[in-house]
Amino acid sequence: MALLITDECINCDVCEPECPNEAIYLGEQIYEIDPHKCTECVGHFDEPQCVQVCPVSCIPVNPDFTESKETLMQKYLRLQDAAIKPA
């Protein structure tokens, strides 16, 4: 499951630097999460770091991207492999 930032986001800027996969970016009005990069921090941490630091609790699971922990780990491994391969 990827996470999702809701419109309750106050653009406090604390979530973006916490994301180890660089999945969080500033959208047109609020921060957004790229579901293809979000692993809910599986492979990096025990808990999603953005959820831990969010002062308004506006980062639920994205219902459009339901993935098991195993699938999230596979995504993490793919992202890590892509990050270390030369372009």
Side-chain angles (χ1 to χ4, degrees):
M1 296 165 275
L3 299 173
L4 168 74
I5 298 175
T6 68
D7 59 4
E8 292 151 357
C9 175
I10 59 171
N11 291 328
C12 67
D13 303 320
V14 298
C15 62
E16 182 184 25
E18 295 299 320
C19 182
N21 295 319
E22 299 180 352
I24 300 175
Y25 61 94
L26 184 57
E28 288 186 31
Q29 296 186 349
I30 61 172
Y31 279 91
E32 298 180 18
I33 297 176
D34 180 343
H36 302 291
K37 290 183 176 180
C38 179
T39 64
E40 294 186 41
C41 290
V42 168
H44 293 283
F45 302 100
D46 292 334
E47 299 288 329
Q49 298 301 288
C50 59
V51 173
Q52 296 295 314
V53 299
C54 182
V56 293
S57 301
C58 68
I59 309 176
V61 170
N62 186 336
D64 295 332
F65 289 90
T66 57
E67 300 164 295
S68 68
K69 291 285 183 188
E70 293 80 20
T71 302
L72 290 170
M73 180 55 85
Q74 290 172 359
K75 186 191 304 186
Y76 160 78
L77 293 171
R78 279 193 312 272
L79 290 168
Q80 294 304 302
D81 189 43
I84 59 173
K85 284 188 178 179

